[in-house]
């Protein structure tokens, strides 16, 4: 019976990694959460559109936020291509971040095509990034400015972007539906 007990203890130690304690859990990164702010400028722009964002979605170190453009005007608006975006820090200063057009881990880019949005209708675009830290200090953005098209006025939206050290955002083209 004693032999069986010793065998059981020995097996338990082998399974448990020879009695070594498990590694400590990873420390989550510190991310600045800005005070919520209004879209700037607020309301429907003279171009007949407004842009808002959904919540930040996360998966395996990747992040994404859906931008929703709403036609708040009285006539249809046709957009072709990608929104114009800039990332701002918590002091609302532009950050040095590359913006690439295309597919990311979080979203499939539908590609460029003319999209007509009727009054009350919407178009979608996805901004995504990876929270990868290699060499250097992690960066975090607090706001995204969005213009529906080149030359349109920008709207500032509160979006926490924990970029790590990647320095890159990926953007999909405007489309009526998200592709998955």
């Amino acid at each position: 019976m004693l032999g069986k007990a010793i065998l059981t203890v020995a097996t338990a130690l082998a399974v448990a990694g020879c009695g070594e304690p498990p590694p400590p859990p990873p420390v989550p990164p510190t991310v600045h959460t800005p005070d919520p702010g209004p879209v700037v400028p607020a309301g429907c722009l003279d171009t007949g559109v407004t842009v808002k964002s959904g919540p930040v979605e996360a998966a395996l170190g990747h992040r994404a936020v859906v931008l929703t453009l709403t036609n708040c005007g009285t006539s249809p608006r046709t957009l072709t291509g990608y929104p114009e975006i800039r990332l701002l820090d918590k002091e609302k200063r532009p950050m040095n971040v590359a913006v690439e057009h295309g597919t990311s881990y979080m979203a499939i880019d539908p590609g460029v095509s003319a999209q007509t949005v009727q009054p009350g209708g919407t178009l979608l675009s996805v901004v995504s990034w990876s929270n990868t830290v290699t060499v250097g200090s992690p960066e975090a953005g607090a706001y995204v400015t969005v213009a529906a098209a080149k030359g349109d006025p920008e709207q500032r939206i509160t979006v926490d972007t924990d970029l790590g050290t990647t320095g890159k955002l990926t953007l999909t083209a405007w489309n009526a539906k998200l592709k998955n």
Side-chain angles (χ1 to χ4, degrees):
M1 187 70 162
L2 181 60
K4 190 173 184 180
I6 291 173
L7 181 60
T8 302
V9 169
T11 302
L13 286 175
V15 170
C18 297
E20 293 180 21
V27 176
T30 302
V31 178
H32 168 74
T33 304
D35 295 330
V39 173
V40 178
C44 192
L45 300 175
D46 292 341
T47 57
V49 299
T50 188
V51 179
K52 295 183 180 178
S53 71
V56 174
E57 301 291 336
L60 300 171
H62 301 277
R63 313 281 192 264
V65 65
V66 176
L67 301 176
T68 302
L69 174 139
T70 302
N71 182 341
C72 51
T74 57
S75 60
R77 172 99 193 260
T78 300
L79 294 167
T80 302
Y82 300 84
E84 295 285 319
I85 67 168
R86 292 184 305 139
L87 186 62
L88 307 178
D89 65 15
K90 63 183 176 181
E91 283 81 31
K92 299 179 182 132
R93 295 178 302 217
M95 295 177 65
N96 186 20
V97 174
V99 177
E100 296 181 358
H101 296 164
T103 296
S104 69
Y105 181 85
M106 297 292 281
I108 297 171
D109 185 14
V112 175
S113 65
Q115 300 288 316
T116 300
V117 59
Q118 299 297 323
T122 60
L123 294 177
L124 306 171
S125 177
V126 178
V127 180
S128 57
W129 62 94
S130 296
N131 179 4
T132 304
V133 177
T134 54
V135 177
S137 298
E139 292 190 283
Y143 305 94
V144 174
T145 64
V146 182
K150 193 171 199 125
D152 278 7
E154 294 180 327
Q155 293 182 277
R156 186 177 63 231
I157 302 168
T158 301
V159 178
D160 285 328
T161 52
D162 54 343
L163 291 176
T165 57
T166 62
K168 179 178 90 168
L169 298 173
T170 304
L171 183 65
T172 67
W174 289 121
N175 202 294
K177 295 181 180 178
L178 296 178
K179 299 201 180 247
N180 50 14

mmCIF file of all heavy atoms in Angstrom, residues 21-70:
data_model
loop_
_atom_site.group_PDB
_atom_site.id
_atom_site.type_symbol
_atom_site.label_atom_id
_atom_site.label_comp_id
_atom_site.label_asym_id
_atom_site.label_seq_id
_atom_site.Cartn_x
_atom_site.Cartn_y
_atom_site.Cartn_z
ATOM 1 N N PRO A 21 6.769 25.858 -9.327
ATOM 2 C CA PRO A 21 5.545 26.669 -9.345
ATOM 3 C C PRO A 21 5.255 27.158 -10.764
ATOM 4 O O PRO A 21 6.173 27.333 -11.565
ATOM 5 C CB PRO A 21 5.877 27.842 -8.417
ATOM 6 C CG PRO A 21 7.364 27.922 -8.425
ATOM 7 C CD PRO A 21 7.858 26.508 -8.647
ATOM 8 N N PRO A 22 3.988 27.372 -11.078
ATOM 9 C CA PRO A 22 3.661 27.858 -12.423
ATOM 10 C C PRO A 22 4.172 29.291 -12.598
ATOM 11 O O PRO A 22 4.357 30.013 -11.616
ATOM 12 C CB PRO A 22 2.122 27.821 -12.441
ATOM 13 C CG PRO A 22 1.712 27.893 -11.016
ATOM 14 C CD PRO A 22 2.812 27.218 -10.242
ATOM 15 N N PRO A 23 4.421 29.708 -13.849
ATOM 16 C CA PRO A 23 4.908 31.079 -14.062
ATOM 17 C C PRO A 23 3.821 32.085 -13.658
ATOM 18 O O PRO A 23 2.636 31.764 -13.694
ATOM 19 C CB PRO A 23 5.177 31.137 -15.564
ATOM 20 C CG PRO A 23 4.353 30.035 -16.145
ATOM 21 C CD PRO A 23 4.240 28.986 -15.088
ATOM 22 N N PRO A 24 4.247 33.285 -13.253
ATOM 23 C CA PRO A 24 3.246 34.289 -12.859
ATOM 24 C C PRO A 24 2.412 34.703 -14.072
ATOM 25 O O PRO A 24 2.885 34.634 -15.205
ATOM 26 C CB PRO A 24 4.091 35.462 -12.353
ATOM 27 C CG PRO A 24 5.423 35.282 -12.993
ATOM 28 C CD PRO A 24 5.608 33.799 -13.184
ATOM 29 N N PRO A 25 1.159 35.125 -13.845
ATOM 30 C CA PRO A 25 0.327 35.543 -14.969
ATOM 31 C C PRO A 25 0.892 36.816 -15.595
ATOM 32 O O PRO A 25 1.544 37.610 -14.907
ATOM 33 C CB PRO A 25 -1.046 35.802 -14.332
ATOM 34 C CG PRO A 25 -0.769 36.041 -12.895
ATOM 35 C CD PRO A 25 0.477 35.255 -12.573
ATOM 36 N N PRO A 26 0.664 37.028 -16.910
ATOM 37 C CA PRO A 26 1.199 38.234 -17.548
ATOM 38 C C PRO A 26 0.524 39.488 -16.980
ATOM 39 O O PRO A 26 -0.638 39.469 -16.599
ATOM 40 C CB PRO A 26 0.852 38.051 -19.024
ATOM 41 C CG PRO A 26 -0.241 37.035 -19.044
ATOM 42 C CD PRO A 26 -0.075 36.187 -17.827
ATOM 43 N N VAL A 27 1.285 40.567 -16.940
ATOM 44 C CA VAL A 27 0.763 41.841 -16.450
ATOM 45 C C VAL A 27 0.098 42.541 -17.632
ATOM 46 O O VAL A 27 0.731 42.728 -18.671
ATOM 47 C CB VAL A 27 1.900 42.714 -15.880
ATOM 48 C CG1 VAL A 27 1.383 44.073 -15.459
ATOM 49 C CG2 VAL A 27 2.580 41.999 -14.724
ATOM 50 N N PRO A 28 -1.181 42.912 -17.499
ATOM 51 C CA PRO A 28 -1.832 43.584 -18.626
ATOM 52 C C PRO A 28 -1.219 44.958 -18.858
ATOM 53 O O PRO A 28 -0.766 45.611 -17.921
ATOM 54 C CB PRO A 28 -3.298 43.694 -18.180
ATOM 55 C CG PRO A 28 -3.271 43.565 -16.701
ATOM 56 C CD PRO A 28 -2.053 42.760 -16.352
ATOM 57 N N PRO A 29 -1.181 45.404 -20.146
ATOM 58 C CA PRO A 29 -0.591 46.710 -20.424
ATOM 59 C C PRO A 29 -1.481 47.825 -19.869
ATOM 60 O O PRO A 29 -2.682 47.675 -19.733
ATOM 61 C CB PRO A 29 -0.558 46.761 -21.954
ATOM 62 C CG PRO A 29 -1.614 45.801 -22.386
ATOM 63 C CD PRO A 29 -1.662 44.738 -21.332
ATOM 64 N N THR A 30 -0.838 48.938 -19.551
ATOM 65 C CA THR A 30 -1.579 50.101 -19.089
ATOM 66 C C THR A 30 -2.020 50.888 -20.317
ATOM 67 O O THR A 30 -1.190 51.224 -21.161
ATOM 68 C CB THR A 30 -0.689 50.992 -18.200
ATOM 69 O OG1 THR A 30 -0.231 50.204 -17.104
ATOM 70 C CG2 THR A 30 -1.450 52.197 -17.690
ATOM 71 N N VAL A 31 -3.303 51.143 -20.423
ATOM 72 C CA VAL A 31 -3.844 51.881 -21.558
ATOM 73 C C VAL A 31 -4.574 53.102 -21.032
ATOM 74 O O VAL A 31 -5.372 53.005 -20.110
ATOM 75 C CB VAL A 31 -4.818 50.992 -22.375
ATOM 76 C CG1 VAL A 31 -5.423 51.768 -23.515
ATOM 77 C CG2 VAL A 31 -4.099 49.757 -22.888
ATOM 78 N N HIS A 32 -4.280 54.256 -21.623
ATOM 79 C CA HIS A 32 -4.956 55.505 -21.240
ATOM 80 C C HIS A 32 -6.398 55.464 -21.721
ATOM 81 O O HIS A 32 -6.663 55.125 -22.872
ATOM 82 C CB HIS A 32 -4.237 56.692 -21.865
ATOM 83 C CG HIS A 32 -5.012 57.962 -21.757
ATOM 84 N ND1 HIS A 32 -5.128 58.644 -20.575
ATOM 85 C CD2 HIS A 32 -5.724 58.650 -22.661
ATOM 86 C CE1 HIS A 32 -5.877 59.707 -20.773
ATOM 87 N NE2 HIS A 32 -6.245 59.738 -22.032
ATOM 88 N N THR A 33 -7.323 55.779 -20.849
ATOM 89 C CA THR A 33 -8.727 55.889 -21.220
ATOM 90 C C THR A 33 -9.111 57.357 -21.149
ATOM 91 O O THR A 33 -9.237 57.918 -20.063
ATOM 92 C CB THR A 33 -9.621 55.065 -20.266
ATOM 93 O OG1 THR A 33 -9.166 53.716 -20.285
ATOM 94 C CG2 THR A 33 -11.068 55.126 -20.707
ATOM 95 N N PRO A 34 -9.285 58.003 -22.316
ATOM 96 C CA PRO A 34 -9.611 59.424 -22.300
ATOM 97 C C PRO A 34 -11.043 59.660 -21.848
ATOM 98 O O PRO A 34 -11.879 58.757 -21.886
ATOM 99 C CB PRO A 34 -9.442 59.842 -23.759
ATOM 100 C CG PRO A 34 -9.690 58.597 -24.520
ATOM 101 C CD PRO A 34 -9.199 57.459 -23.653
ATOM 102 N N ASP A 35 -11.299 60.901 -21.417
ATOM 103 C CA ASP A 35 -12.670 61.270 -21.096
ATOM 104 C C ASP A 35 -13.473 61.213 -22.389
ATOM 105 O O ASP A 35 -13.009 61.682 -23.428
ATOM 106 C CB ASP A 35 -12.731 62.694 -20.528
ATOM 107 C CG ASP A 35 -11.998 62.788 -19.198
ATOM 108 O OD1 ASP A 35 -11.967 61.779 -18.467
ATOM 109 O OD2 ASP A 35 -11.450 63.862 -18.901
ATOM 110 N N PRO A 36 -14.685 60.633 -22.342
ATOM 111 C CA PRO A 36 -15.489 60.611 -23.555
ATOM 112 C C PRO A 36 -15.739 62.031 -24.044
ATOM 113 O O PRO A 36 -15.976 62.935 -23.253
ATOM 114 C CB PRO A 36 -16.797 59.954 -23.121
ATOM 115 C CG PRO A 36 -16.507 59.317 -21.814
ATOM 116 C CD PRO A 36 -15.344 60.028 -21.213
ATOM 117 N N GLY A 37 -15.645 62.213 -25.346
ATOM 118 C CA GLY A 37 -15.866 63.536 -25.907
ATOM 119 C C GLY A 37 -16.853 63.467 -27.051
ATOM 120 O O GLY A 37 -17.085 62.398 -27.611
ATOM 121 N N PRO A 38 -17.414 64.592 -27.412
ATOM 122 C CA PRO A 38 -18.363 64.591 -28.521
ATOM 123 C C PRO A 38 -17.635 64.466 -29.850
ATOM 124 O O PRO A 38 -16.440 64.721 -29.942
ATOM 125 C CB PRO A 38 -19.025 65.956 -28.397
ATOM 126 C CG PRO A 38 -17.962 66.815 -27.784
ATOM 127 C CD PRO A 38 -17.223 65.908 -26.830
ATOM 128 N N VAL A 39 -18.350 64.052 -30.872
ATOM 129 C CA VAL A 39 -17.804 64.064 -32.220
ATOM 130 C C VAL A 39 -17.612 65.530 -32.575
ATOM 131 O O VAL A 39 -18.459 66.372 -32.300
ATOM 132 C CB VAL A 39 -18.786 63.385 -33.201
ATOM 133 C CG1 VAL A 39 -18.316 63.532 -34.624
ATOM 134 C CG2 VAL A 39 -18.977 61.936 -32.830
ATOM 135 N N VAL A 40 -16.469 65.859 -33.150
ATOM 136 C CA VAL A 40 -16.172 67.249 -33.488
ATOM 137 C C VAL A 40 -16.000 67.347 -34.989
ATOM 138 O O VAL A 40 -15.163 66.647 -35.548
ATOM 139 C CB VAL A 40 -14.891 67.718 -32.784
ATOM 140 C CG1 VAL A 40 -14.558 69.142 -33.165
ATOM 141 C CG2 VAL A 40 -15.042 67.583 -31.281
ATOM 142 N N PRO A 41 -16.723 68.162 -35.716
ATOM 143 C CA PRO A 41 -17.878 68.915 -35.263
ATOM 144 C C PRO A 41 -19.075 67.996 -35.052
ATOM 145 O O PRO A 41 -19.195 66.981 -35.709
ATOM 146 C CB PRO A 41 -18.138 69.909 -36.399
ATOM 147 C CG PRO A 41 -17.548 69.287 -37.603
ATOM 148 C CD PRO A 41 -16.418 68.403 -37.133
ATOM 149 N N ALA A 42 -19.931 68.364 -34.115
ATOM 150 C CA ALA A 42 -21.066 67.520 -33.751
ATOM 151 C C ALA A 42 -22.173 67.628 -34.794
ATOM 152 O O ALA A 42 -22.317 68.637 -35.462
ATOM 153 C CB ALA A 42 -21.602 67.927 -32.382
ATOM 154 N N GLY A 43 -22.941 66.572 -34.901
ATOM 155 C CA GLY A 43 -24.108 66.587 -35.769
ATOM 156 C C GLY A 43 -23.784 66.324 -37.224
ATOM 157 O O GLY A 43 -22.692 65.892 -37.573
ATOM 158 N N CYS A 44 -24.738 66.585 -38.069
ATOM 159 C CA CYS A 44 -24.621 66.341 -39.501
ATOM 160 C C CYS A 44 -23.746 67.421 -40.139
ATOM 161 O O CYS A 44 -23.981 68.614 -39.961
ATOM 162 C CB CYS A 44 -26.019 66.334 -40.118
ATOM 163 S SG CYS A 44 -26.052 65.717 -41.809
ATOM 164 N N LEU A 45 -22.724 66.995 -40.864
ATOM 165 C CA LEU A 45 -21.829 67.939 -41.533
ATOM 166 C C LEU A 45 -22.510 68.526 -42.765
ATOM 167 O O LEU A 45 -23.500 67.985 -43.266
ATOM 168 C CB LEU A 45 -20.545 67.226 -41.945
ATOM 169 C CG LEU A 45 -19.718 66.610 -40.822
ATOM 170 C CD1 LEU A 45 -18.549 65.835 -41.402
ATOM 171 C CD2 LEU A 45 -19.223 67.688 -39.881
ATOM 172 N N ASP A 46 -21.935 69.598 -43.306
ATOM 173 C CA ASP A 46 -22.456 70.202 -44.531
ATOM 174 C C ASP A 46 -22.424 69.224 -45.709
ATOM 175 O O ASP A 46 -23.168 69.389 -46.669
ATOM 176 C CB ASP A 46 -21.650 71.455 -44.895
ATOM 177 C CG ASP A 46 -21.854 72.588 -43.897
ATOM 178 O OD1 ASP A 46 -22.862 72.562 -43.154
ATOM 179 O OD2 ASP A 46 -21.003 73.506 -43.865
ATOM 180 N N THR A 47 -21.564 68.222 -45.630
ATOM 181 C CA THR A 47 -21.471 67.217 -46.695
ATOM 182 C C THR A 47 -22.610 66.203 -46.616
ATOM 183 O O THR A 47 -22.727 65.339 -47.476
ATOM 184 C CB THR A 47 -20.125 66.472 -46.606
ATOM 185 O OG1 THR A 47 -20.020 65.878 -45.305
ATOM 186 C CG2 THR A 47 -18.954 67.405 -46.845
ATOM 187 N N GLY A 48 -23.436 66.281 -45.562
ATOM 188 C CA GLY A 48 -24.589 65.388 -45.437
ATOM 189 C C GLY A 48 -24.285 64.057 -44.785
ATOM 190 O O GLY A 48 -25.057 63.111 -44.912
ATOM 191 N N VAL A 49 -23.132 63.941 -44.100
ATOM 192 C CA VAL A 49 -22.792 62.678 -43.441
ATOM 193 C C VAL A 49 -22.305 62.926 -42.026
ATOM 194 O O VAL A 49 -21.895 64.038 -41.675
ATOM 195 C CB VAL A 49 -21.714 61.879 -44.210
ATOM 196 C CG1 VAL A 49 -22.179 61.519 -45.606
ATOM 197 C CG2 VAL A 49 -20.396 62.616 -44.246
ATOM 198 N N THR A 50 -22.334 61.891 -41.228
ATOM 199 C CA THR A 50 -21.717 61.886 -39.910
ATOM 200 C C THR A 50 -21.092 60.508 -39.716
ATOM 201 O O THR A 50 -21.563 59.525 -40.305
ATOM 202 C CB THR A 50 -22.734 62.219 -38.798
ATOM 203 O OG1 THR A 50 -22.028 62.380 -37.568
ATOM 204 C CG2 THR A 50 -23.793 61.161 -38.641
ATOM 205 N N VAL A 51 -20.020 60.438 -38.942
ATOM 206 C CA VAL A 51 -19.327 59.168 -38.710
ATOM 207 C C VAL A 51 -19.235 58.926 -37.211
ATOM 208 O O VAL A 51 -18.901 59.824 -36.443
ATOM 209 C CB VAL A 51 -17.909 59.164 -39.320
ATOM 210 C CG1 VAL A 51 -17.217 57.838 -39.046
ATOM 211 C CG2 VAL A 51 -17.958 59.437 -40.814
ATOM 212 N N LYS A 52 -19.545 57.704 -36.809
ATOM 213 C CA LYS A 52 -19.410 57.279 -35.409
ATOM 214 C C LYS A 52 -18.656 55.951 -35.389
ATOM 215 O O LYS A 52 -18.526 55.292 -36.406
ATOM 216 C CB LYS A 52 -20.784 57.118 -34.764
ATOM 217 C CG LYS A 52 -21.531 58.431 -34.662
ATOM 218 C CD LYS A 52 -22.838 58.289 -33.969
ATOM 219 C CE LYS A 52 -23.507 59.659 -33.915
ATOM 220 N NZ LYS A 52 -24.791 59.635 -33.301
ATOM 221 N N SER A 53 -18.185 55.573 -34.188
ATOM 222 C CA SER A 53 -17.474 54.294 -34.073
ATOM 223 C C SER A 53 -18.196 53.391 -33.093
ATOM 224 O O SER A 53 -18.878 53.850 -32.190
ATOM 225 C CB SER A 53 -16.037 54.509 -33.596
ATOM 226 O OG SER A 53 -16.021 54.902 -32.250
ATOM 227 N N GLY A 54 -17.993 52.103 -33.295
ATOM 228 C CA GLY A 54 -18.488 51.108 -32.355
ATOM 229 C C GLY A 54 -17.433 50.865 -31.298
ATOM 230 O O GLY A 54 -16.411 51.557 -31.247
ATOM 231 N N PRO A 55 -17.638 49.852 -30.459
ATOM 232 C CA PRO A 55 -16.640 49.524 -29.441
ATOM 233 C C PRO A 55 -15.410 48.856 -30.061
ATOM 234 O O PRO A 55 -15.487 48.299 -31.159
ATOM 235 C CB PRO A 55 -17.380 48.546 -28.522
ATOM 236 C CG PRO A 55 -18.397 47.906 -29.419
ATOM 237 C CD PRO A 55 -18.803 48.967 -30.400
ATOM 238 N N VAL A 56 -14.293 48.929 -29.364
ATOM 239 C CA VAL A 56 -13.082 48.234 -29.809
ATOM 240 C C VAL A 56 -13.271 46.751 -29.530
ATOM 241 O O VAL A 56 -13.594 46.344 -28.417
ATOM 242 C CB VAL A 56 -11.829 48.769 -29.089
ATOM 243 C CG1 VAL A 56 -10.604 47.939 -29.446
ATOM 244 C CG2 VAL A 56 -11.603 50.241 -29.429
ATOM 245 N N GLU A 57 -13.094 45.937 -30.561
ATOM 246 C CA GLU A 57 -13.181 44.478 -30.439
ATOM 247 C C GLU A 57 -11.753 43.937 -30.399
ATOM 248 O O GLU A 57 -10.873 44.454 -31.081
ATOM 249 C CB GLU A 57 -13.931 43.881 -31.638
ATOM 250 C CG GLU A 57 -15.348 44.405 -31.818
ATOM 251 C CD GLU A 57 -16.297 43.937 -30.733
ATOM 252 O OE1 GLU A 57 -16.039 42.888 -30.112
ATOM 253 O OE2 GLU A 57 -17.302 44.623 -30.517
ATOM 254 N N ALA A 58 -11.523 42.882 -29.610
ATOM 255 C CA ALA A 58 -10.179 42.325 -29.458
ATOM 256 C C ALA A 58 -10.180 40.824 -29.726
ATOM 257 O O ALA A 58 -11.146 40.132 -29.408
ATOM 258 C CB ALA A 58 -9.667 42.582 -28.044
ATOM 259 N N ALA A 59 -9.068 40.333 -30.318
ATOM 260 C CA ALA A 59 -8.892 38.905 -30.564
ATOM 261 C C ALA A 59 -7.407 38.594 -30.732
ATOM 262 O O ALA A 59 -6.775 39.092 -31.657
ATOM 263 C CB ALA A 59 -9.650 38.471 -31.820
ATOM 264 N N LEU A 60 -6.855 37.801 -29.829
ATOM 265 C CA LEU A 60 -5.488 37.301 -29.931
ATOM 266 C C LEU A 60 -4.452 38.393 -30.208
ATOM 267 O O LEU A 60 -3.600 38.264 -31.072
ATOM 268 C CB LEU A 60 -5.405 36.227 -31.015
ATOM 269 C CG LEU A 60 -6.281 34.992 -30.796
ATOM 270 C CD1 LEU A 60 -6.268 34.126 -32.029
ATOM 271 C CD2 LEU A 60 -5.823 34.227 -29.580
ATOM 272 N N GLY A 61 -4.542 39.509 -29.496
ATOM 273 C CA GLY A 61 -3.576 40.588 -29.670
ATOM 274 C C GLY A 61 -3.898 41.530 -30.806
ATOM 275 O O GLY A 61 -3.146 42.459 -31.084
ATOM 276 N N HIS A 62 -5.003 41.311 -31.484
ATOM 277 C CA HIS A 62 -5.436 42.176 -32.573
ATOM 278 C C HIS A 62 -6.648 42.974 -32.099
ATOM 279 O O HIS A 62 -7.413 42.513 -31.255
ATOM 280 C CB HIS A 62 -5.801 41.354 -33.815
ATOM 281 C CG HIS A 62 -4.666 40.530 -34.310
ATOM 282 N ND1 HIS A 62 -3.674 41.026 -35.123
ATOM 283 C CD2 HIS A 62 -4.348 39.234 -34.079
ATOM 284 C CE1 HIS A 62 -2.798 40.071 -35.383
ATOM 285 N NE2 HIS A 62 -3.187 38.970 -34.758
ATOM 286 N N ARG A 63 -6.822 44.159 -32.653
ATOM 287 C CA ARG A 63 -7.924 45.026 -32.263
ATOM 288 C C ARG A 63 -8.574 45.607 -33.518
ATOM 289 O O ARG A 63 -7.925 45.770 -34.549
ATOM 290 C CB ARG A 63 -7.437 46.207 -31.410
ATOM 291 C CG ARG A 63 -6.487 45.857 -30.295
ATOM 292 C CD ARG A 63 -7.218 45.276 -29.093
ATOM 293 N NE ARG A 63 -6.355 45.198 -27.926
ATOM 294 C CZ ARG A 63 -5.685 44.114 -27.570
ATOM 295 N NH1 ARG A 63 -5.761 43.011 -28.283
ATOM 296 N NH2 ARG A 63 -4.933 44.107 -26.486
ATOM 297 N N ALA A 64 -9.854 45.968 -33.394
ATOM 298 C CA ALA A 64 -10.558 46.610 -34.506
ATOM 299 C C ALA A 64 -11.720 47.420 -33.979
ATOM 300 O O ALA A 64 -12.294 47.116 -32.933
ATOM 301 C CB ALA A 64 -11.055 45.567 -35.497
ATOM 302 N N VAL A 65 -12.061 48.449 -34.734
ATOM 303 C CA VAL A 65 -13.240 49.248 -34.450
ATOM 304 C C VAL A 65 -13.943 49.508 -35.788
ATOM 305 O O VAL A 65 -13.284 49.755 -36.803
ATOM 306 C CB VAL A 65 -12.870 50.559 -33.714
ATOM 307 C CG1 VAL A 65 -12.037 51.485 -34.562
ATOM 308 C CG2 VAL A 65 -14.100 51.267 -33.217
ATOM 309 N N VAL A 66 -15.262 49.401 -35.777
ATOM 310 C CA VAL A 66 -16.052 49.639 -36.977
ATOM 311 C C VAL A 66 -16.474 51.104 -37.001
ATOM 312 O O VAL A 66 -17.027 51.616 -36.028
ATOM 313 C CB VAL A 66 -17.298 48.729 -37.030
ATOM 314 C CG1 VAL A 66 -18.165 49.051 -38.245
ATOM 315 C CG2 VAL A 66 -16.886 47.263 -37.043
ATOM 316 N N LEU A 67 -16.192 51.767 -38.130
ATOM 317 C CA LEU A 67 -16.664 53.126 -38.357
ATOM 318 C C LEU A 67 -17.963 53.036 -39.141
ATOM 319 O O LEU A 67 -18.038 52.305 -40.136
ATOM 320 C CB LEU A 67 -15.645 53.935 -39.162
ATOM 321 C CG LEU A 67 -14.256 54.088 -38.557
ATOM 322 C CD1 LEU A 67 -13.341 54.835 -39.530
ATOM 323 C CD2 LEU A 67 -14.327 54.796 -37.219
ATOM 324 N N THR A 68 -18.978 53.761 -38.693
ATOM 325 C CA THR A 68 -20.268 53.775 -39.382
ATOM 326 C C THR A 68 -20.545 55.176 -39.876
ATOM 327 O O THR A 68 -20.677 56.113 -39.083
ATOM 328 C CB THR A 68 -21.401 53.313 -38.446
ATOM 329 O OG1 THR A 68 -21.097 52.008 -37.961
ATOM 330 C CG2 THR A 68 -22.743 53.287 -39.173
ATOM 331 N N LEU A 69 -20.603 55.326 -41.201
ATOM 332 C CA LEU A 69 -20.955 56.589 -41.822
ATOM 333 C C LEU A 69 -22.454 56.564 -42.074
ATOM 334 O O LEU A 69 -22.979 55.604 -42.645
ATOM 335 C CB LEU A 69 -20.211 56.745 -43.149
ATOM 336 C CG LEU A 69 -20.590 57.953 -43.996
ATOM 337 C CD1 LEU A 69 -19.343 58.570 -44.594
ATOM 338 C CD2 LEU A 69 -21.588 57.602 -45.077
ATOM 339 N N THR A 70 -23.153 57.593 -41.635
ATOM 340 C CA THR A 70 -24.599 57.699 -41.856
ATOM 341 C C THR A 70 -24.875 58.907 -42.729
ATOM 342 O O THR A 70 -24.351 60.000 -42.482
ATOM 343 C CB THR A 70 -25.353 57.853 -40.513
ATOM 344 O OG1 THR A 70 -25.054 56.720 -39.688
ATOM 345 C CG2 THR A 70 -26.857 57.937 -40.729
#
